[in-house]
Amino acid sequence: MSAPVFRFAPSPNGHLHLGHAYSALLNAQMAHECGGRFLVRIEDIDTVRCTDQLCHDALNDLEWLGLQWEQPVRRQSEHFEYYKKQLEKLKELGVLYRAFMTRSQIRKAIEAAESVQGTQWPRDPDGAPLYPGGPQETAAPDTPHAWRLDMTKALALINTPMIWQEAGNGPAGETAEVAVDGTSWGDVILARKDTPTSYHLSVVVDDALQGITHVVRGQDLFYATSVHRILQHLLSLTPPCYHHHGLVLNDEGKKLSKSARDTSLRDLRADGMSAREVRRRLGFS
Ligand code: GLU
């Protein structure tokens, strides 16, 4: 049997904070404990916000923490052609459609529906409203468009209940075999007008390409695993085992943000904290 493979996959659209450090250290520790491999992958498909400097700083912070990972590091922004090919496969299955609505059209459509119905438009597990358009959308041939998953069609094509193996737990204590719930996400975006992929698509195809066996990440991504399992099924990819961990919270009990000065590794380091102290504060020896 080949060795288990773990990865830490930050999106450096800001500096890494204690939450990232916890996830990276946990991945490395779990890999070490089972004789597995540890990779770092840079998820920088948002090339405007994920600058070269931030990518460089992220790797530098991880090094400072004392982590070691295999080279070369996969940077998603260098592989757009690969994601395009995966998107083509989904198009061939007939489960994607061109989505033309702009952000402001989406907002207006939802406001209008809410005022007519007097109830809130359905939200996804992250609290964002579900896409109000659908596969029936049309526009002039050259109109810029995104590609969205026709969730109803995808679930009909799969036509079997799905689960994922959860070794950690979800926000409501979900663990072991967790049932996939695609409907709660609606028609997720898989490629944007200006980016030929999305977080969901590239994370799934890269985990498979890199032979990741254990996805260890924060509970904020727990429910997104439903979308990931659906894409794995459609693209015939072997699913990894999932382990979602609790998030590092600030003193007010809120999730850390990339702009919060006091918890970025850079600032803690500038304030004189050692990597050892950071590791200890997060519960690692
Ligand atoms: N790049 C994602 C993030 O920073 C994490 C992806 C994952 O671990 O699945 O939120």
Side-chain angles (χ1 to χ4, degrees):
M1 276 238 329
S2 44
V5 189
F6 294 74
R7 63 19 171 218
F8 172 60
S11 300
N13 49 21
H15 282 122
L16 300 192
H17 54 56
L18 285 174
H20 295 105
Y22 178 78
S23 203
L25 287 162
L26 185 62
N27 268 284
Q29 176 176 285
M30 289 173 89
H32 179 74
E33 281 172 0
C34 67
R37 297 164 52 202
F38 173 56
L39 315 185
V40 170
R41 182 171 71 226
I42 297 290
E43 301 206 326
D44 59 344
I45 57 170
D46 180 348
T47 52
V48 176
R49 290 167 68 215
C50 299
T51 60
D52 279 349
Q53 186 62 48
L54 285 169
C55 292
H56 171 272
D57 290 352
L59 294 173
N60 186 264
D61 286 343
L62 296 174
E63 230 167 72
W64 173 76
L65 268 181
L67 292 169
Q68 283 179 322
W69 55 91
E70 289 182 17
Q71 300 293 337
V73 167
R74 184 171 173 88
R75 260 185 87 163
Q76 290 188 329
S77 60
E78 291 168 0
H79 301 282
F80 285 134
E81 283 309 311
Y82 183 71
Y83 307 128
K84 266 191 209 164
K85 278 195 206 133
Q86 310 309 311
L87 195 75
E88 286 305 317
K89 291 186 193 165
L90 295 170
K91 283 184 207 168
E92 278 162 27
L93 289 176
V95 292
L96 301 190
Y97 65 88
R98 289 181 175 81
F100 299 100
M101 292 176 80
T102 61
R103 270 176 221 268
S104 85
Q105 286 170 330
I106 293 174
R107 189 174 37 79
K108 283 186 194 141
I110 290 167
E111 277 167 13
E114 287 184 336
S115 85
V116 170
Q117 291 160 9
T119 50
Q120 201 198 40
W121 185 260
R123 299 297 202 257
D124 72 20
D126 283 346
L130 300 193
Y131 184 59
Q136 71 287 348
E137 286 176 48
T138 50
D142 289 338
T143 313
H145 60 83
W147 286 97
R148 286 188 177 261
L149 181 67
D150 184 336
M151 189 58 88
T152 308
K153 214 165 168 188
L155 293 175
L157 185 70
I158 294 172
N159 195 25
T160 181
M162 279 187 293
I163 56 116
W164 79 81
Q165 290 298 337
E166 176 62 44
N169 55 270
E174 303 93 329
T175 192
E177 292 193 349
V178 181
V180 166
D181 171 18
T183 315
S184 62
W185 286 97
D187 295 349
V188 287
I189 197 156
L190 292 187
R192 295 183 186 277
K193 283 175 188 158
D194 43 11
T195 313
T197 185
S198 67
Y199 159 62
H200 294 308
L201 180 62
S202 37
V203 79
V204 158
V205 301
D206 276 357
D207 282 339
L209 181 77
Q210 295 190 293
I212 305 298
T213 56
H214 294 70
V215 168
V216 179
R217 62 186 178 190
Q219 263 171 4
D220 51 341
L221 293 169
F222 180 82
Y223 295 112
T225 311
S226 280
V227 178
H228 301 171
R229 280 297 292 119
I230 288 166
L231 293 177
Q232 285 155 357
H233 198 288
L234 293 170
L235 292 167
S236 309
L237 306 173
T238 308
C241 208
Y242 288 89
H243 181 127
H244 292 88
H245 59 73
L247 300 177
V248 178
L249 303 176
N250 66 16
D251 294 339
E252 285 104 54
K254 296 225 174 72
K255 193 178 149 182
L256 302 181
S257 89
K258 285 184 180 150
S259 53
R261 221 198 101 77
D262 53 344
T263 54
S264 95
L265 297 177
R266 225 115 266 261
D267 296 323
L268 294 172
R269 179 174 170 185
D271 291 346
M273 201 184 222
S274 69
R276 220 183 135 151
E277 282 171 283
V278 170
R279 287 199 302 270
R280 202 172 324 120
R281 179 163 161 190
L282 295 171
F284 296 88
S285 49

